[in-house]
Amino acid sequence: MKVIHHELKSMKWKKALTSKSLQKQLAQVCGLMSPYAYAPVLRKLIKSRDPWLWLAGHCFVGIDPCNHEGQLNALFNDDQHPDNYIDQAHFLESLDQWVKSSAFQKIYKNHVRQEQQLAHSLFEYINDLNKIYSKLMVIRLDLSYGEIYTDDWEPELRVLNDWDLFHAYTANSFKDSFIGYAAKFEHGADKGIHIHTLLFFDGSVVRQDVTIAKHLGEHWKNTVTQGAGIYFNANTLEYKVRMKHCAVGVFKRNDADFLVGAKEIAKYFAKKDPIVRLAVPGLTQTLRRSSLTLQQKAALEKRLASEERDARTPSA
């Protein structure tokens, strides 16, 4: 989709409702709505607590269900074909009114607050792991499916089961070192369904994070998905050097630079993708993560008590 037309540029809510966010959500929702699924999906959108889906649902009312894709593309691409005609000025005016409504503002503010809470909670979890273990290994793998296979079957119908298989294999294969995870499910117009993962290991027990990441990625590709999967290994040196504050690899306790990078990763993982909940049946949480075990909580309390004693003890 092209950049939103000049009518939007002067609107006061442009900062909150960026063209990138708006177009991404409308484009992806549009792609999921066939004429046969239009009505039930539209009802879900209107009742959604996600601001983008809620907004899209109200804007889709009145659009021809048999030609919704053509009409919405025409809205952003100046398509003059008579079959795709839509009153652009009326659409933008309606959009502006919905965004200014108290209902949208309430949903939007709650959405932002939830993302901030998720980011804080995930960062605190990573920070706790960094305090507990003298060395923390962090692996970042992006798991997805190759396009060649998506014509024959739908990854959206199997992704939750595939993730369970992948997680179980990781936990069983690294019983002595695997200590936690975070997984974010997303759906992109080009990439389809995919999972961003953070895998945490006791770095004093295992080494060679890039090798472990490759091993797990190959297992996803060849075993879990039977050749249909693809993966991106973010633990390679080529990727690490691109990061201003690297948060993948092996880090010592209370590494300040790592914690800065971890905070940025937590913010990204906390950003909700509303489309994926429409695309994947049964997905209720777009971000899944583990919590501290009782043993880890005990180790954390011991570590915090030790740090407190050290802080009270005057230096020689």
Side-chain angles (χ1 to χ4, degrees):
M1 284 189 174
K2 294 181 181 178
V3 177
I4 273 184
H5 292 298
H6 62 82
E7 287 90 344
L8 287 175
K9 292 183 178 179
S10 62
M11 294 183 178
K12 294 181 180 179
W13 46 269
K14 177 67 164 57
K15 179 179 288 187
L17 189 66
T18 65
S19 60
K20 182 178 179 180
S21 296
L22 174 64
Q23 293 187 44
K24 176 183 176 182
Q25 304 306 341
L26 290 183
Q28 293 192 56
V29 171
C30 177
L32 290 171
M33 294 176 67
S34 70
Y36 308 103
Y38 184 88
V41 172
L42 189 60
R43 285 195 292 270
K44 287 183 179 180
L45 297 182
I46 292 175
K47 294 180 180 179
S48 175
R49 295 181 180 180
D50 180 275
W52 311 118
L53 296 186
W54 184 94
L55 182 63
H58 285 81
C59 290
F60 283 160
V61 173
I63 290 180
D64 182 5
C66 294
N67 189 31
H68 63 274
E69 188 167 359
Q71 289 189 337
L72 287 170
N73 284 335
L75 184 67
F76 294 102
N77 295 327
D78 286 325
D79 186 350
Q80 301 300 320
H81 193 283
D83 291 343
N84 296 335
Y85 174 76
I86 184 171
D87 189 333
Q88 186 184 83
H90 177 73
F91 181 91
L92 294 174
E93 182 180 354
S94 175
L95 181 64
D96 187 36
Q97 291 176 352
W98 282 119
V99 170
K100 291 177 180 177
S101 69
S102 59
F104 176 84
Q105 293 298 327
K106 181 178 180 180
I107 295 173
Y108 180 75
K109 290 178 181 178
N110 185 58
H111 175 84
V112 172
R113 182 168 58 252
Q114 288 181 349
E115 284 191 346
Q116 292 173 341
Q117 291 172 345
L118 279 174
H120 178 74
S121 177
L122 178 56
F123 172 70
E124 286 299 309
Y125 173 65
I126 299 174
N127 189 21
D128 287 343
L129 292 178
N130 186 233
K131 289 181 178 294
I132 294 170
Y133 297 93
S134 59
K135 289 184 180 180
L136 178 65
M137 178 185 289
V138 183
I139 286 178
R140 165 83 184 266
L141 272 178
D142 293 342
L143 310 174
S144 56
Y145 298 87
E147 293 182 2
I148 189 173
Y149 297 94
T150 59
D151 293 334
D152 300 323
W153 48 266
E154 297 182 61
E156 291 81 4
L157 300 180
R158 59 176 289 173
V159 64
L160 296 182
N161 183 63
D162 285 349
W163 161 251
D164 288 339
L165 291 174
F166 175 82
H167 175 249
Y169 174 82
T170 304
N172 290 330
S173 299
F174 296 89
K175 291 181 180 179
D176 297 332
S177 58
F178 182 59
I179 57 176
Y181 74 92
K184 179 188 181 184
F185 293 80
E186 287 188 349
H187 187 283
D190 298 324
K191 201 173 182 180
I193 181 67
H194 53 282
I195 316 170
H196 298 290
T197 72
L198 289 174
L199 307 172
F200 304 107
F201 298 82
D202 183 347
S204 64
V205 178
V206 289
R207 297 190 302 168
Q208 298 182 334
D209 57 294
V210 66
T211 302
I212 295 176
K214 182 179 180 180
H215 169 76
L216 292 175
E218 290 296 313
H219 181 77
W220 165 265
K221 175 182 176 181
N222 299 317
T223 304
V224 174
T225 66
Q226 300 177 334
I230 56 178
Y231 69 93
F232 176 75
N233 181 355
N235 283 65
T236 62
L237 179 60
E238 293 81 2
Y239 185 80
K240 288 179 181 179
V241 297
R242 291 162 48 190
M243 302 176 68
K244 183 177 180 180
H245 300 281
C246 185
V248 295
V250 181
F251 305 92
K252 294 183 179 180
R253 182 178 285 130
N254 295 330
D255 185 312
D257 195 56
F258 162 70
L259 293 177
V260 173
K263 183 170 290 187
E264 292 304 311
I265 288 182
K267 289 180 181 178
Y268 174 75
F269 269 62
K271 287 187 177 298
K272 297 182 178 181
D273 177 9
I275 306 301
V276 72
R277 295 180 63 183
L278 291 178
V280 179
L283 179 64
T284 56
Q285 292 181 314
T286 58
L287 173 62
R288 296 182 176 185
R289 72 169 180 83
S290 53
S291 301
L292 294 181
T293 64
L294 292 176
Q295 184 178 3
Q296 288 173 334
K297 288 180 179 179
L300 177 61
E301 291 179 1
K302 185 177 180 180
R303 167 55 51 184
L304 293 177
S306 175
E307 290 181 352
E308 186 176 348
R309 287 195 301 269
D310 292 342
R312 291 200 304 262
T313 303
S315 57

